[in-house]
Amino acid sequence: IFVTGGSSSLKSNAALHSIFLDSTGAVYASGVNSSGQLGDGTITQRYVPVRVLKGAYPGTTYLGDNPANPIIAVTAGYQFSLALAADGTVYSFGLNNTGQLGDGTTVNKSTPVKVLKGAYTGTTYIGDNAQNPIISISAGRFHSVLLAKDGRVYCFGGNATGALGDNTLTTRLTPVRILEGQYPGTTFLGDQDSNPIIAISAGYQHTVALSAEGKVYATGLNDNGQLGDSTITNKLIPVQVLMGAYSGTKYLGDNSANPIVSMSAGSFYTMFLTASGAVYGVGRNIFGHLGDNTTTSRLIPVR
């Protein structure tokens, strides 16, 4: 069973609800339900898990109950939830005040809706191109982030701090592509076929992405240095995380013998794991988040 109160990268954006995925592809949820984030068609708080209803999912009664197309990943944001089906399409439910459900509205949903395609090259819904399904999902405070098989990244929802990485502060009700910023591509993050994006994580109001070569790119809120670029200036397009205490040349992960292999965006900080097993952190540290035996916030990674 996979349990999350944040995202597939285990963080803490969820506000008092949890979502669970079992081995059959069925989805359960419990906790606060004031915005419909449990997906059971009510706004009733649940003290034990209930099954998420199917909503727009092509099943019989519950989300994931079609054995030909089970749910394969779930993530809980702030009062909303996302679920990824085996066919690469994405379902969302709960709070939608900033368009974080990606259905083209700002109306809360108490049963799952299917995320529209927006800038994704498909027919109607994101992931509906069988050659390029969505393979990873992450839910933040006001926004959602999705990764396609081809390595491109899509975002939707609140964008007041640049978390969507599209060089605007405009809220998006359907997915947009993150621009390349400092990523060595052509136009969009992940569009270099030899170096696609392979992992994503949505924080409180920032987004981080890991490339195949092991480097990390970040965009959005940076008030505590959580983007790791040695500033506290918000970014509207991705910047590359500096190396800090990491043994490289200039950027985190630029030592090919010890790339970054995983990362997780928290509320106001970000954590990174190297191939060697070492852990680095950057951003807010007032409660010792970064584990460096201080309460000093960091603008570049510490070990």
Side-chain angles (χ1 to χ4, degrees):
I1 189 166
F2 178 77
V3 186
T4 179
S7 79
S8 52
S9 55
L10 299 182
K11 57 172 179 53
S12 57
N13 283 311
L16 306 178
H17 82 289
S18 299
I19 189 164
F20 311 83
L21 175 64
D22 76 13
S23 61
T24 71
V27 183
Y28 301 80
S30 61
V32 172
N33 197 24
S34 56
S35 299
Q37 58 263 48
L38 304 189
D40 67 342
T42 78
I43 55 171
T44 303
Q45 184 167 325
R46 305 295 183 180
Y47 296 96
V48 295
V50 293
R51 281 193 75 169
V52 176
L53 295 175
K54 72 182 187 76
Y57 168 85
T60 303
T61 305
Y62 300 107
L63 186 64
D65 68 6
N66 177 355
N69 186 35
I71 297 301
I72 59 172
V74 293
T75 176
Y78 177 79
Q79 296 188 46
F80 72 102
S81 304
L82 303 178
L84 174 63
D87 68 359
T89 56
V90 181
Y91 299 85
S92 57
F93 43 99
L95 187 67
N96 198 27
N97 62 327
T98 60
Q100 54 266 61
L101 301 188
D103 70 337
T105 80
T106 57
V107 178
N108 296 350
K109 303 297 191 301
S110 61
T111 59
V113 293
K114 205 167 183 179
V115 177
L116 295 173
K117 72 182 185 77
Y120 168 86
T121 304
T123 304
T124 306
Y125 302 104
I126 198 161
D128 67 7
N129 176 353
Q131 303 304 310
N132 189 35
I134 296 301
I135 60 172
S136 184
I137 58 178
S138 186
R141 170 62 174 84
F142 300 105
H143 73 296
S144 300
V145 186
L146 312 178
L147 175 63
K149 181 181 178 181
D150 67 1
R152 278 63 163 176
V153 184
Y154 298 84
C155 291
F156 47 95
N159 197 25
T161 62
L164 305 190
D166 67 344
N167 203 30
T168 78
L169 296 174
T170 304
T171 294
R172 305 294 184 177
L173 306 187
T174 59
V176 294
R177 284 182 70 172
I178 295 185
L179 295 174
E180 63 170 343
Q182 292 184 351
Y183 167 85
T186 304
T187 307
F188 300 106
L189 185 66
D191 68 7
Q192 186 185 85
D193 290 339
S194 62
N195 184 36
I197 296 301
I198 60 172
I200 52 171
S201 186
Y204 180 76
Q205 292 187 66
H206 72 293
T207 301
V208 294
L210 174 64
S211 70
E213 66 182 3
K215 297 176 183 177
V216 184
Y217 301 86
T219 185
L221 185 67
N222 198 28
D223 58 344
N224 285 267
Q226 54 265 54
L227 303 188
D229 70 337
S230 81
T231 79
I232 54 170
T233 304
N234 296 349
K235 300 298 189 298
L236 305 187
I237 55 176
V239 292
Q240 196 165 344
V241 178
L242 295 173
M243 68 172 190
Y246 167 86
S247 296
T249 304
K250 184 177 182 180
Y251 297 106
L252 188 67
D254 67 8
N255 176 353
S256 61
N258 190 32
I260 299 301
V261 296
S262 183
M263 83 275 147
S264 182
S267 290
F268 300 97
Y269 65 103
T270 312
M271 305 298 293
F272 312 94
L273 174 66
T274 69
S276 70
V279 181
Y280 296 83
V282 69
R284 192 179 192 187
N285 198 27
I286 60 172
F287 299 112
H289 304 58
L290 306 185
D292 67 342
N293 202 31
T294 78
T295 55
T296 303
S297 294
R298 305 293 184 176
L299 306 186
I300 54 176
V302 293
R303 196 159 173 185

